[in-house]
């Protein structure tokens, strides 16, 4: 039996641990909000979705890279924290009912502000609509929303630019691009092959991976009959440890994907695999996207909506 296996793993460091939430140190303190601009010489970035893990990791990356982290962020309606500390920057958390007012205020105080969105599938489209209404450009990695509607909202908003991408990990996006090229150049090359997709993520991930959806779309173009609802989503931690092979320290943040294709007669197997431990690779890619988008805005042009492949093609990512 002939077997071909293609795979790679991207490793990022585990998240720092705190007392109650492993990814942050929270400070509960309410106050009257007065928006004060910080360093006008730095790119201002507002990271929405903290204290969520992905948003917090991205906020940390913003500070590490020397950008101006705006000390305000949109959060979920059930969030109990009022304020968190991100590498020394106190960030006040604002619930959805204060969204429009906050965005208007930060836009006036932070020229050139770019928002980053790592919230929840249910909040993705309302947030995008709010960014567009406020005239704010943004980078969104939140999955599970209606991307086509996001694009329409941006296209109809004057002066708004966006990077919309379900995966900000540069190497994983390059793999997606490779699969798309494969499908474009060799359509129906895998007609008749059976596909099995297993994707393991932390148990808090609510939806099927956007990366898996993109790879499946390419495989469909290659002639494989498979739908997204057939993906096996592994969210049980014991199964992740013993079956999938996720290290215990990465159970709270990982993305393990395996796509196995078998020929009709069972004599050929193709396997594509990408395993990511931690979130730092996504956070760094997100900051790359912010800096790239800022340059595109300054450059000007008719195109308003971009993805990570657009960025990779320029060769400008760190």
């Amino acid at each position: 039996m002939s077997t071909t296996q293609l795979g790679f793993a991207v490793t990022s460091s585990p998240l720092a641990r705190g007392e109650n939430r492993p990814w942050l140190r929270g400070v509960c303190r309410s106050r009257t909000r007065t928006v004060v601009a910080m360093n006008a010489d730095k790119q201002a970035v507002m990271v929405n979705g903290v204290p969520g893990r992905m948003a917090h990791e991205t906020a940390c990356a913003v500070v590490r890279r020397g950008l101006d982290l705006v000390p305000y962020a949109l959060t979920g309606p059930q969030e109990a924290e009022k304020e968190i500390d991100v590498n020394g920057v106190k960030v006040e958390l604002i619930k959805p009912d204060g969204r429009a007012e906050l965005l208007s205020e930060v836009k006036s105080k932070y020229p050139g502000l770019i928002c980053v969105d790592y919230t929840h599938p249910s909040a993705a489209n309302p947030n995008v609509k709010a960014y567009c209404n406020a005239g704010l450009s943004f980078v969104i990695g939140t999955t599970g929303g209606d991307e086509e509607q996001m694009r329409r909202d941006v296209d109809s908003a004057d002066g708004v630019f966006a990077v919309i991408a379900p995966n900000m990990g540069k190497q994983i996006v390059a793999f997606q691009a490779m699969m798309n090229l494969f499908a474009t150049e060799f359509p129906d090359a895998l007609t008749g092959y059976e596909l099995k997709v297993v994707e393991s993520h932390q148990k808090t991930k609510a939806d099927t991976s956007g990366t898996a959806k993109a790879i499946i779309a390419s495989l469909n173009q290659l002639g494989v009959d498979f739908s997204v609802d057939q993906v096996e989503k592994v969210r049980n931690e014991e199964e992740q440890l013993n079956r999938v092979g996720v290290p215990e320290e990465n159970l709270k943040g990982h993305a393990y994907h395996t796509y196995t294709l078998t020929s009709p007669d069972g004599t050929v197997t193709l396997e594509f695999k990408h395993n990511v431990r931690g979130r730092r690779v996504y956070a760094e890619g997100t900051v790359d996207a912010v800096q790239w988008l800022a340059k595109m805005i300054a450059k000007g042009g008719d195109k308003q909506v971009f993805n990570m492949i657009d960025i990779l093609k320029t060769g400008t990512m760190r």
Side-chain angles (χ1 to χ4, degrees):
M1 184 174 184
S2 173
T3 301
T4 301
Q5 178 168 321
L6 303 177
F8 59 86
V10 180
T11 305
S12 59
S13 61
L15 299 174
R17 287 167 169 75
E19 181 181 350
N20 297 318
R21 297 181 187 242
W23 61 99
L24 60 85
R25 293 177 181 174
V27 179
C28 282
R29 185 176 67 208
S30 61
R31 62 182 181 182
T32 301
R33 184 174 73 247
T34 301
V35 176
V36 179
M38 297 175 73
N39 193 333
D41 296 328
K42 296 181 180 180
Q43 173 61 51
V45 185
M46 179 183 185
V47 181
N48 295 318
V50 291
R53 297 169 191 262
M54 190 62 240
H56 186 265
E57 185 72 23
T58 301
C60 290
V62 168
V63 176
R64 279 196 305 270
R65 297 274 283 269
L67 280 65
D68 187 3
L69 179 64
V70 172
Y72 307 94
L74 296 173
T75 194
Q78 305 303 320
E79 179 54 49
E81 300 283 357
K82 302 296 184 182
E83 182 181 87
I84 65 167
D85 184 292
V86 179
N87 289 0
V89 179
K90 295 293 191 298
V91 178
E92 184 179 348
L93 307 182
I94 308 300
K95 295 184 178 182
D97 57 1
R99 178 171 49 203
E101 179 185 0
L102 176 64
L103 294 179
S104 176
E105 290 179 359
V106 294
K107 177 180 171 58
S108 67
K109 297 294 184 180
Y110 293 86
L113 170 66
I114 293 178
C115 295
V116 169
D117 193 291
Y118 278 114
T119 55
H120 186 273
S122 63
N125 284 98
N127 283 351
V128 165
K129 189 71 173 179
Y131 302 146
C132 291
N133 288 342
L136 287 168
S137 295
F138 62 91
V139 172
I140 183 168
T142 308
T143 60
D146 184 341
E147 288 191 24
E148 289 305 314
Q149 183 60 53
M150 292 180 193
R151 293 174 183 276
R152 288 193 292 270
D153 288 340
V154 176
D155 286 337
S156 62
D158 185 37
V160 173
F161 297 82
V163 174
I164 300 173
N167 191 319
M168 298 290 179
K170 296 166 282 190
Q171 294 77 14
I172 306 302
V173 174
F175 172 64
Q176 289 179 216
M178 179 188 75
M179 292 300 295
N180 183 63
L181 181 62
F182 181 17
T184 301
E185 294 295 322
F186 307 106
D188 298 322
L190 298 177
T191 297
Y193 274 64
E194 291 187 2
L195 174 63
K196 180 180 180 181
V197 179
V198 178
E199 60 104 319
S200 174
H201 286 263
Q202 58 279 1
K203 64 183 180 181
T204 56
K205 183 169 176 59
D207 59 325
T208 301
S209 162
T211 304
K213 293 177 182 178
I215 299 300
I216 290 167
S218 293
L219 292 171
N220 290 156
Q221 193 175 344
L222 284 161
V224 178
D225 184 12
F226 190 88
S227 62
V228 171
D229 59 10
Q230 293 176 270
V231 173
E232 181 182 356
K233 295 188 292 184
V234 181
R235 299 294 186 267
N236 179 275
E237 291 188 347
E238 182 176 352
E239 189 175 4
Q240 291 171 342
L241 277 171
N242 299 323
R243 175 190 165 198
V244 182
V246 180
E248 185 173 3
E249 63 268 24
N250 298 121
L251 289 174
K252 303 302 182 184
H254 69 277
Y256 275 40
H257 290 205
T258 301
Y259 311 84
T260 305
L261 292 144
T262 306
S263 64
D265 62 2
T267 63
V268 178
T269 299
L270 302 174
E271 186 172 87
F272 302 91
K273 179 182 294 186
H274 53 87
N275 295 341
V276 179
R277 298 187 288 276
R279 295 177 175 83
R280 185 160 181 165
V281 66
Y282 305 118
E284 295 293 340
T286 303
V287 178
D288 285 341
V290 167
Q291 294 182 305
W292 183 88
L293 185 62
K295 292 177 181 177
M296 295 303 294
I297 294 170
K299 183 179 179 181
D302 295 331
K303 186 173 181 179
Q304 293 176 257
V305 182
F306 304 92
N307 58 33
M308 290 297 282
I309 293 176
D310 292 321
I311 302 173
L312 283 170
K313 285 179 178 179
T314 66
T316 57
M317 300 189 80
R318 290 165 61 110

